[in-house]
Amino acid sequence: MKTKDRPQRLVSEILQGLGWLLLGAYVYFGYHLIVLTRAWEDGLVGLIAASLAVLGLIALVPPEKRRTVLAFSFLVLFADRSLAAVALSSGLLWALQAAAVLAVGTLVGRLVGRLNRTALLAFLLAALLSTSLSRSDVKLLAHFMPPVKTPPLYGGGTIDYFPLFVDPNRPDRVVTFGNREEVPGEPESRGTQPNVGAGRETLVETARLKREPLFVYAFDLSGGAFRRVPLPDAENAAWIDRLRRDYPGFPFFTIDEDGTLVPIVARDDWAEMMFDFGRVPGALLRLDAAQLRRTAFDVKATLEGGRFQDLVLDGKALRGTYRGTAFRIPTAATEIAGHLTIDGHDALVLLGTDLELATFAEDGTARITHRLDAETIPDIFAAEVLIAPLPPYGDALLLSFPTDSPETAKIILPRADGGWEILYSAQDPLFRFEDVRVQSGETRFLALAPGRLSGYAQRFIGEYVFDRGRLVQRWMAPTSLINVRYVSDGQGNVRIVGTEYGAHRLVLLLPHGIPVVPLYTTLTLILAAGLIGGRLRAQGPARAQARHARRQAVYWAPVVLVAGVLLAYGTTWYGRVAPSADGTAESARIEGDRIVQTEPSAPSASPAAPSSERASTSAPETRVDARSEWTTALARNLDPEQSARFEVTGYTRNAIHKRKTTSMLSGAVILPDRAFGAMRLAGTPYRYYRYGEARYVWTGQTEWVPLGAPAAPLSPFRALEKLTPYFAAAERLPDDTVLGVPARVYRVHVPAAALLGDDPPNVALPNVARQNAERPDENVGALGDLTVDVTVWLTDDPLRLAQIEARWLLPVPGAGATRQEVFFRFYHFNDPGIFIRPPEDIERYVQQP
């Protein structure tokens, strides 16, 4: 008997194992594709819907099996999360950590979940199978095949990301930049490989900042895969020119004509500058002037089938030819952002400190017909503009703004009468438009939309259409990519390509068209029906006693399950037929400097007042003579006894479209000659140390590296004295607090020329200082009539400068304009706990060549 039973027992165990594996797959994919997706897309409502469905399903499981089913399901998810975490390791360490995870899971399953050996074996197999797909890729399977990825393309670690372009002449080709293949010795991530064994000159160069060669990476996507292709020299040069106009690292880096990333500053020079607070605005302005000398203004040889030719923006006018007729339009715009038609007439979108439309008549005459400035839409200068046809309205502008901007993405319609209509305005600043395509007469938008559950700011890919005044979501994929674009695979199929931020690699998404979520829902309902049927057919001596409890479970559990499913589909349906939760369907028009909400209308909407008739709504400035208060406060900061030591935090920041470049400081000063700072420059962290004549810098690629003696003594606040004359007409702002201490706030307006060229040539930024000394008039001329707004916070008891901010708007050739900011906060004056280690504590870690 026993011999005859063995095959049956083996078959039974195999079937049980397959059943457990199917349960593991059901739980694994249900968690990633349904539960997490509902939570990300619909927030708390989505999480409640998924939870109700899960509770209803659990309640249908027979009580005698519920413990083991729950334990198995929990262990599958536990192993999935834990093995994803240990995947950060490699080799033997990964194997040991993975073995530990599986051992713990097996022990818990056996002792707590009472799983038999078949279930435990299925758990181990399911856990190992889950490692074949990364967690970030699994959640895409509802809409896409497993993504195709390139290796990391950039190893320098200086620039946070590079632009991604679709070749206008080859819709199946994408172009980006990198250097991993050409410079394989670069570390794969920042701060992971000390430059051991390098000579002193190499160590100092690495620590200070060195030049990085960059290369064009062009990929053909035929067949749904990345294939790198060489480009002719002329095409390479054209793409490098487009990279230069993207301004990576501005204003601290520039791109040479051969594609080399060139640092304009050194880390130690800039650290010295950051500890001389009054000179930082002038230093940034000198960097701006150096950049403007190197960059040509926007030139587009042809546009829209040759109707526009030889287009040039020189900062004062737009000139070129339209249908063979030469034209010149006065404008301060710096970027040609696109082309559209208004009432049958061609128009160019121009972006500078304002957004303007230059409209062309049939006879070739042209004029500025539309304008939006910062009074109407703040940060309009930082907008990224896409053009989209929106039947029956006509061509519309899609505006997206930097994440830290108070403005949100918008769809605006230029009207033939010179006015504007806002068709859509997002509610969440994370929402941004990425690309546009027209398919079968329908305009579709590829956008980055926010997930609404986690407190961490995340953007997910979504596709939308504009239908009857609403932005309607077609689908959303919970994956975080940037620079997302529609592409072709060379066979007429539309694909999506994007960039993994931080990893510097491209990701290709291939839609599969399988209705994964409806199929999964159908499977769940079938499973529930089977569980209900099994409960109703249950036999045994305890049936009479358990009948009441069983009947209750059979009755209410399906109700809960169906309620969860309906709620999940209801929220999804509402999100797709009603306004997206990321924005509002309310339309608006711009009247004067006001945005007036309206119902979405046809193109014949009521006109808005022309910009020339707008009345200013700015509050009148309160001007006071604050020189005495300012000089008294500054004198206390300059006094070596009253401000002998203090801590400081600060930053510089500028954003060109969505690219933001910062330098940051968190450190301490002990006068007369000691300073230490944890610094960051364009995304790369380092530390700077100064103690008397000793100077050292530490980076992720080196240990502490000794530098030469300081070029000038520490004088943190001395350069601020140049601001004193402007406090004769200071603007008094509402009182504020600094770290909880009441402060009086003043703002002064300082000409950029007053901050340029007043530094000794032998201190920080020597290369820039030398260039400025050679052509000082051109430096001022390049910046025009720029004004810097300087705001100071003065605290009492004693009267002292506690905080300072400087801001100005800089036109950037080919990129609209950027707002540059400088901010410093000073605190813990004369705190005895402020301590900077002596040089001997640093020297033990000095890296020797």
Side-chain angles (χ1 to χ4, degrees):
M1 290 293 295
K2 292 183 179 180
T3 303
K4 294 181 179 179
D5 289 342
R6 284 179 182 174
Q8 296 179 357
R9 188 178 304 171
L10 180 60
V11 170
S12 176
E13 289 188 356
I14 292 175
L15 292 177
Q16 287 182 28
L18 289 175
W20 285 114
L21 277 177
L22 289 174
L23 175 61
Y26 177 84
V27 170
Y28 176 80
F29 289 107
Y31 174 74
H32 285 285
L33 300 181
I34 308 298
V35 177
L36 285 183
T37 301
R38 292 275 61 79
W40 278 322
E41 290 191 24
D42 303 316
L44 184 59
V45 174
L47 186 61
I48 292 173
S51 300
L52 287 175
V54 171
L55 289 174
L57 200 59
I58 290 173
L60 290 176
V61 177
E64 64 274 12
K65 296 181 180 180
R66 192 172 296 154
R67 183 190 189 106
T68 55
V69 169
L70 287 176
F72 182 86
S73 302
F74 169 79
L75 290 176
V76 168
L77 298 180
F78 163 77
D80 166 52
R81 182 67 184 89
S82 301
L83 291 176
V86 303
L88 298 175
S89 305
S90 59
L92 180 60
L93 180 59
W94 175 86
L96 292 174
Q97 291 175 331
V101 168
L102 297 179
V104 170
T106 302
L107 187 63
V108 171
R110 184 61 178 171
L111 299 180
V112 179
R114 300 174 185 173
L115 300 177
N116 59 27
R117 63 180 183 180
T118 303
L120 292 175
L121 184 61
F123 155 69
L124 294 175
L125 187 56
L128 292 176
L129 288 175
S130 71
T131 63
S132 61
L133 284 174
S134 71
R135 298 179 96 242
S136 61
D137 294 344
V138 171
K139 56 191 179 185
L140 292 173
L141 298 181
H143 304 286
F144 302 98
M145 300 291 288
V148 180
K149 301 181 180 181
T150 68
L153 304 180
Y154 172 65
T158 302
I159 301 304
D160 55 351
Y161 71 89
F162 291 103
L164 177 64
F165 302 110
V166 177
D167 191 331
N169 301 315
R170 289 286 304 271
D172 61 339
R173 177 175 295 174
V174 294
V175 178
T176 188
F177 307 87
N179 59 15
R180 176 55 61 80
E181 292 184 11
E182 293 79 3
V183 190
E186 294 287 357
E188 291 193 6
S189 60
R190 302 171 188 169
T192 58
Q193 286 188 354
N195 201 337
V196 178
R200 172 168 174 75
E201 290 185 2
T202 302
L203 282 176
V204 172
E205 180 189 22
T206 301
R208 300 190 78 217
L209 269 179
K210 61 180 181 180
R211 299 162 65 96
E212 293 182 18
L214 300 176
F215 302 88
V216 176
Y217 278 58
F219 294 96
D220 281 355
L221 304 178
S222 301
F226 290 103
R227 182 173 62 88
R228 188 177 179 187
V229 293
L231 298 180
D233 291 343
E235 286 190 44
N236 269 297
W239 289 116
I240 289 294
D241 186 60
R242 292 196 66 174
L243 172 64
R244 297 177 71 187
R245 296 172 189 277
D246 194 69
Y247 293 97
F250 181 91
F252 306 106
F253 296 84
T254 190
I255 307 289
D256 273 355
E257 293 182 358
D258 63 355
T260 301
L261 181 69
V262 180
I264 302 180
V265 301
R267 287 189 176 108
D268 56 312
D269 286 342
W270 189 250
E272 287 279 337
M273 180 64 70
M274 289 288 281
F275 279 111
D276 198 343
F277 315 117
R279 291 175 49 229
V280 176
L284 283 173
L285 287 165
R286 289 192 297 280
L287 288 173
D288 294 340
Q291 290 274 13
L292 294 179
R293 284 199 303 270
R294 299 170 66 94
T295 309
F297 278 82
D298 202 10
V299 178
K300 297 183 186 298
T302 61
L303 189 66
E304 296 303 316
R307 283 174 287 180
F308 295 97
Q309 293 192 359
D310 302 324
L311 298 176
V312 178
L313 279 170
D314 59 12
K316 298 180 180 178
L318 168 68
R319 64 180 187 274
T321 62
Y322 174 69
R323 299 184 183 274
T325 301
F327 68 87
R328 183 182 184 277
I329 308 173
T331 178
T334 62
E335 176 187 1
I336 302 173
H339 164 268
L340 73 162
T341 59
I342 304 174
D343 196 26
H345 296 290
D346 289 312
L348 295 178
V349 182
L350 309 178
L351 188 62
T353 55
D354 299 338
L355 185 147
E356 301 172 323
L357 297 186
T359 304
F360 295 78
E362 291 296 329
D363 60 2
T365 59
R367 63 189 180 93
I368 301 296
T369 57
H370 297 70
R371 179 177 286 108
L372 286 173
D373 60 19
E375 290 186 9
T376 305
I377 299 182
D379 290 352
I380 187 64
F381 61 87
E384 287 190 88
V385 183
L386 295 174
I387 312 298
L390 290 183
Y393 301 96
D395 288 346
L397 277 64
L398 312 183
L399 305 181
S400 299
F401 296 86
T403 303
D404 55 359
S405 169
E407 274 305 307
T408 59
K410 290 176 173 55
I411 301 177
I412 63 173
L413 179 73
R415 298 201 306 267
D417 57 16
W420 301 87
E421 185 170 349
I422 299 179
L423 301 179
Y424 169 83
S425 184
Q427 295 175 350
D428 196 312
L430 288 180
F431 186 91
R432 65 177 297 112
F433 297 104
E434 288 284 297
D435 203 0
V436 177
R437 73 182 176 104
V438 179
Q439 180 177 350
S440 303
E442 181 182 59
T443 301
R444 298 185 180 184
F445 312 119
L446 197 59
L448 299 182
R452 289 181 286 277
L453 181 65
S454 172
Y456 178 73
Q458 298 181 81
R459 284 182 171 133
F460 301 136
I461 301 174
E463 187 176 59
Y464 297 80
V465 295
F466 191 78
D467 181 34
R468 291 172 293 180
R470 292 184 171 92
L471 196 63
V472 181
Q473 183 189 112
R474 298 188 70 250
W475 54 261
M476 179 186 287
T479 186
S480 296
L481 298 176
I482 61 171
N483 296 330
V484 185
R485 302 288 184 267
Y486 287 118
V487 293
S488 170
D489 64 353
Q491 301 173 358
N493 300 312
V494 175
R495 307 302 190 208
I496 294 173
V497 67
T499 306
E500 276 191 5
Y501 183 79
H504 296 289
R505 62 181 178 182
L506 303 185
V507 180
L508 180 64
L509 302 180
L510 310 172
H512 54 54
I514 301 173
V516 172
V517 175
L519 287 176
Y520 195 91
T521 304
T522 302
L523 176 62
T524 300
L525 295 177
I526 292 174
L527 178 60
L531 290 172
I532 292 172
R535 295 290 297 276
L536 292 175
R537 292 193 306 270
Q539 300 291 333
R543 179 178 181 184
Q545 293 82 357
R547 183 179 303 161
H548 181 68
R550 185 169 59 252
R551 184 181 298 138
Q552 284 186 330
V554 171
Y555 289 164
W556 68 258
V559 172
V560 174
L561 172 64
V562 172
V565 171
L566 292 178
L567 182 60
Y569 273 87
T571 54
T572 303
W573 173 84
Y574 179 78
R576 294 183 178 179
V577 302
S580 166
D582 304 314
T584 173
E586 290 182 348
S587 179
R589 66 177 183 273
I590 298 174
E591 293 187 351
D593 58 359
R594 295 180 300 118
I595 298 177
V596 181
Q597 298 299 322
T598 66
E599 289 298 324
S601 59
S604 59
S606 58
S611 59
S612 59
E613 298 177 8
R614 288 197 299 257
S616 175
T617 58
S618 301
E621 296 180 349
T622 303
R623 298 285 184 173
V624 297
D625 187 345
R627 283 177 295 180
S628 175
E629 193 171 356
W630 163 250
T631 54
T632 302
L634 184 59
R636 187 162 280 109
N637 286 72
L638 289 166
D639 190 328
E641 293 184 359
Q642 300 187 68
S643 302
R645 60 182 67 201
F646 58 90
E647 293 187 44
V648 56
T649 58
Y651 61 83
T652 70
R653 177 170 61 191
N654 67 275
I656 297 179
H657 293 323
K658 66 183 176 185
R659 181 182 292 283
K660 181 172 65 177
T661 303
T662 60
S663 67
M664 307 184 75
L665 162 65
S666 177
V669 174
I670 302 179
L671 296 175
D673 58 2
R674 282 176 275 175
F676 174 83
M679 321 288 290
R680 181 177 291 268
L681 180 61
T684 58
Y686 68 102
R687 301 170 195 163
Y688 179 75
Y689 174 90
R690 169 175 171 160
Y691 199 115
E693 295 296 303
R695 288 198 311 148
Y696 297 91
V697 64
W698 176 97
T699 73
Q701 287 75 44
T702 65
E703 287 290 342
W704 288 100
V705 175
L707 304 171
L714 273 176
S715 183
F717 299 101
R718 181 66 61 186
L720 292 172
E721 292 179 319
K722 74 181 76 169
L723 302 178
T724 301
Y726 302 99
F727 278 88
E731 180 183 351
R732 179 68 189 271
L733 301 180
D735 290 348
D736 198 1
T737 61
V738 179
L739 298 178
V741 179
R744 293 190 295 281
V745 186
Y746 297 96
R747 177 176 295 155
V748 295
H749 308 287
V750 184
L755 301 174
L756 283 165
D758 59 351
D759 282 330
N762 63 332
V763 297
L765 315 183
N767 293 333
V768 177
R770 186 161 47 251
Q771 294 174 22
N772 286 338
E774 293 170 358
R775 295 184 285 184
D777 294 337
E778 183 178 342
N779 300 332
V780 177
L783 298 175
D785 299 325
L786 201 64
T787 298
V788 177
D789 295 333
V790 180
T791 307
V792 299
W793 285 255
L794 307 180
T795 57
D796 284 322
D797 196 24
L799 184 63
R800 196 194 304 271
L801 172 64
Q803 195 165 278
I804 184 170
E805 177 189 68
R807 306 178 77 188
W808 62 94
L809 198 61
L810 176 75
V812 180
T818 176
R819 174 176 287 129
Q820 292 184 309
E821 302 176 40
V822 178
F823 176 86
F824 290 105
R825 176 180 293 155
F826 318 106
Y827 54 99
H828 291 168
F829 284 92
N830 292 335
D831 187 333
I834 297 175
F835 175 75
I836 296 177
R837 294 184 294 174
E840 51 266 26
D841 286 354
I842 297 294
E843 289 167 358
R844 70 180 69 176
Y845 301 105
V846 168
Q847 183 173 337
Q848 300 298 332

